[in-house]
Amino acid sequence: MKPMIPLLTILQLDDITCLVLAVSGGADSMALSYLVSQIGCARNCVAITVDHGFRPESAREADQVAEYMQKLGIRHETKVLEWANSSSSSSSNANDGPTNYKTSAMPPVQRLEEIARQRRYTEIAAVCQRYEISAVLTGHHANDQAETFLLRFMRMSGISGLAGMSEQTMLPFALQNAVNNAWDKQHERVPSLVRPLLSVKKEELYDVCKAQGIRWYEDASNADNRFRRNQLRQIIKSRSDQPESPVNTDALLQMRGFMQRHREYIDKHVSRLLNLHAKYDMVLATVELSSAPVGLLPEWARNPALCERVLARIIAWVGSSSSSSQPPELAHLAQFMQTVTNHQPNRTKAVSAAGVTMLPPTTRRGWLFCRQPPRQNELAASSNHLLGTSTLWDSRLVVSVSEHKSRPSNVLSWSVLGLDDAIKLFGSAMSSHRHWLKQKKQLIAPSYVLASSPVVCVQYGDVDEPRLVFALGYAVEHDEGVVVSVRPIKPV
């Protein structure tokens, strides 16, 4: 059988010290494990099975997966997710012994897949951090790609969403682990998520398992029609013997391929427009797009297709990971586009969608995009960090605090909090800081932007109360012997 996955080409394995294989026990991930072992990568792999605890037989299946991984020479670990109503109290680790993991409340069925996915990737990200792993391989295949295309079509995604899953992207939910465990930017390691089987159909993976005598397990929940993806899977499967059907796997994959090629072509022009017309604020994680004289559209908005992609790229960069994990819907893009097209000075209002707020231009700036103002209590304070460490704020900004080299301090710890909490704790100091910035003629961002901006305070060993050191996008006027750095987690 000819090789189906050019892993060496895709991943450049010579530069990667270790890989994670996400192995559920299904035919796709079991076949992936076998194929990886056949190209000599077994010694560089750690296979992870996440037992969600939804089925009584899942623990036994995880044990049998571990046995097969041992046969392939691949190290294996099982992580057991705990839920509030679960009797399970530990997770097994084939190498390090039992480990306890935090318990989460069982989500409603409408969010079960979403929450389970988040917790699964969070566990995998933790393993990557522990072993300094560079890439995670999953068994996503061509049938999954077809389902994703149809799902996104039904939610009216734009061309970015309809182009489907990428072969390689950033591992979801890995940012917090990477930032919180790094001492500086150079040591942050955000693993890649690699899907080497996207061109391979499920039937071919079944054939691999059958030919090699590999035992796999069918998850009964995949037939639960309460979930939209499962419904669509059944629809697609029922059209598999109808070549003329627009919703069989081949037709859907063909359409996705068209969308991908269109996206690649358009993105070249979008990059040019962003280079010419976009200004990125690397502290507040906002983007300003140039405006045009009254009655005219700015260059980036004159072509609807290009305007859609410009807005989609900005929304993905500005929004938090929770709001931008999926490509924006066409309805949201249309809402922004309509606002720009119908703009009237002093009459256009701010518009919010997809987790992002767009502010109309003023005499001092163009169109401004910022994170949508947070809901009450949405941004929780992050406390008791040591000097020289970093934390991820609002899934968007990396906040770091280090000691000033020429002025050592006796700072015990530092904390980051939201604007509302900061005003309650440091009302007088915040007012003085704002007044000082105005005297220095520093540009203070609009309230929409500052609503989700980080405020940093430090705790000294000889003072009971914490002291404000960073707010409103700037360090405070008095020198506290510390250096505060704030930057977006996403590259431009």
Side-chain angles (χ1 to χ4, degrees):
M1 180 180 181
K2 64 180 181 179
M4 294 187 298
I5 48 174
L7 285 174
L8 291 172
T9 301
I10 294 173
L11 291 176
Q12 298 178 339
L13 289 177
D14 292 341
D15 298 329
I16 292 178
T17 58
C18 194
L19 302 171
V20 159
L21 302 180
V23 185
S24 65
D28 42 12
S29 59
M30 296 295 276
L32 173 65
S33 302
Y34 167 75
L35 293 168
V36 168
S37 72
Q38 295 305 295
I39 60 174
C41 295
R43 61 185 176 83
N44 289 331
C45 291
V46 179
I48 305 297
T49 300
V50 179
D51 180 1
H52 298 85
F54 294 151
R55 300 178 294 115
E57 63 271 22
S58 60
R60 174 179 52 81
E61 293 172 0
D63 289 342
Q64 292 173 342
V65 169
E67 292 179 7
Y68 182 66
M69 294 302 110
Q70 184 177 18
K71 179 180 177 181
L72 294 178
I74 297 174
R75 181 176 180 177
H76 180 269
E77 296 184 10
T78 297
K79 303 299 178 185
V80 181
L81 301 185
E82 298 180 9
W83 306 92
N85 60 348
S86 172
S87 59
S88 175
S89 60
S90 65
S91 67
S92 67
N93 181 319
N95 303 283
D96 300 315
T99 306
N100 290 326
Y101 287 84
K102 293 181 179 179
T103 300
S104 297
M106 180 68 72
V109 67
Q110 297 89 341
R111 298 196 63 203
L112 188 61
E113 287 186 313
E114 173 193 353
I115 300 300
R117 175 180 179 272
Q118 178 175 343
R119 294 197 63 193
R120 178 169 66 252
Y121 278 120
T122 299
E123 291 288 352
I124 293 174
V127 173
C128 290
Q129 186 67 40
R130 177 153 48 96
Y131 292 117
E132 295 188 347
I133 288 173
S134 305
V136 176
L137 273 60
T138 68
H140 291 105
H141 46 75
N143 300 67
D144 293 324
Q145 186 75 287
E147 294 166 11
T148 298
F149 174 85
L150 190 54
L151 269 173
R152 293 181 177 178
F153 177 81
M154 293 184 67
R155 66 188 285 265
M156 296 187 66
S157 288
I159 190 172
S160 178
L162 295 179
M165 294 183 285
S166 302
E167 285 185 330
Q168 189 163 349
T169 186
M170 185 170 59
L171 181 68
F173 309 108
L175 293 176
Q176 186 70 58
N177 277 320
V179 172
N180 284 352
N181 291 282
W183 286 86
D184 53 46
K185 183 177 180 180
Q186 287 69 35
H187 288 86
E188 290 173 13
R189 299 177 63 89
V190 181
S192 296
L193 174 67
V194 182
R195 305 178 178 103
L197 301 177
L198 284 181
S199 62
V200 183
K201 290 186 177 179
K202 180 89 169 185
E203 293 76 11
E204 296 178 82
L205 299 176
Y206 280 131
D207 290 342
V208 170
C209 290
K210 292 174 183 177
Q212 301 301 323
I214 303 170
R215 184 175 182 178
W216 74 87
Y217 305 94
E218 299 289 350
D219 188 341
S221 65
N222 289 335
D224 189 341
N225 283 334
R226 291 178 297 174
F227 304 114
R228 176 61 63 87
R229 181 177 284 272
N230 292 347
Q231 296 172 10
L232 297 182
R233 183 180 300 120
Q234 294 303 318
I235 292 173
I236 296 171
K237 187 177 180 179
S238 68
R239 306 298 197 278
S240 60
D241 58 349
Q242 302 175 21
E244 73 285 354
S245 173
V247 291
N248 65 42
T249 300
D250 289 334
L252 294 172
L253 291 175
Q254 186 178 34
M255 284 300 300
R256 186 212 67 85
F258 291 154
M259 293 297 110
Q260 183 182 35
R261 289 191 288 276
H262 282 296
R263 182 177 68 177
E264 291 172 353
Y265 176 78
I266 289 175
D267 277 352
K268 294 180 182 178
H269 296 279
V270 169
S271 296
R272 180 187 68 84
L273 290 172
L274 289 174
N275 287 335
L276 289 174
H277 300 284
K279 295 180 181 178
Y280 293 82
D281 187 315
M282 305 305 286
V283 173
L284 296 173
T286 62
V287 179
E288 179 187 341
L289 281 177
S290 61
S291 55
V294 178
L296 298 177
L297 286 175
E299 183 186 4
W300 56 268
R302 292 172 190 168
N303 182 294
L306 292 176
C307 181
E308 175 193 311
R309 288 297 300 141
V310 166
L311 293 170
R313 288 265 289 270
I314 289 176
I315 289 171
W317 192 80
V318 170
S320 66
S321 63
S322 59
S323 64
S324 60
S325 58
Q326 297 294 334
E329 298 179 13
L330 280 177
H332 295 152
L333 296 174
Q335 192 174 353
F336 287 122
M337 292 170 66
Q338 185 177 21
T339 301
V340 174
T341 302
N342 300 330
H343 171 58
Q344 298 181 34
N346 302 318
R347 300 182 68 177
T348 301
K349 304 295 183 183
V351 58
S352 296
V356 172
T357 294
M358 180 178 71
L359 303 176
T362 67
T363 56
R364 302 181 64 180
R365 59 161 174 78
W367 296 90
L368 186 64
F369 296 80
C370 65
R371 194 261 208 218
Q372 187 172 344
R375 299 183 299 273
Q376 186 176 9
N377 300 324
E378 181 181 355
L379 298 179
S382 180
S383 306
N384 298 321
H385 300 286
L386 298 177
L387 283 182
T389 61
S390 304
T391 191
L392 188 64
W393 174 253
D394 191 29
S395 300
R396 302 179 303 121
L397 298 169
V398 180
V399 181
S400 308
V401 179
S402 57
E403 190 172 53
H404 201 293
K405 292 182 179 180
S406 62
R407 288 181 289 275
S409 66
N410 62 338
V411 172
L412 295 178
S413 64
W414 62 273
S415 303
V416 58
L417 59 159
L419 185 65
D420 289 343
D421 290 335
I423 292 174
K424 294 176 184 176
L425 289 174
F426 306 105
S428 177
M430 290 287 290
S431 296
S432 298
H433 182 48
R434 182 184 290 271
H435 179 69
W436 179 76
L437 291 175
K438 289 182 177 179
Q439 285 184 322
K440 293 290 184 179
K441 296 183 179 181
Q442 296 281 11
L443 182 63
I444 301 178
S447 58
Y448 279 95
V449 176
L450 297 178
S452 58
S453 65
V455 176
V456 179
C457 62
V458 297
Q459 182 66 58
Y460 280 84
D462 55 356
V463 179
D464 292 335
E465 299 297 327
R467 298 182 67 173
L468 187 70
V469 294
F470 183 93
L472 309 179
Y474 299 92
V476 297
E477 55 273 26
H478 53 81
D479 186 358
E480 293 293 346
V482 296
V483 178
V484 178
S485 169
V486 179
R487 59 181 173 82
I489 188 67
K490 302 172 187 175
V492 174

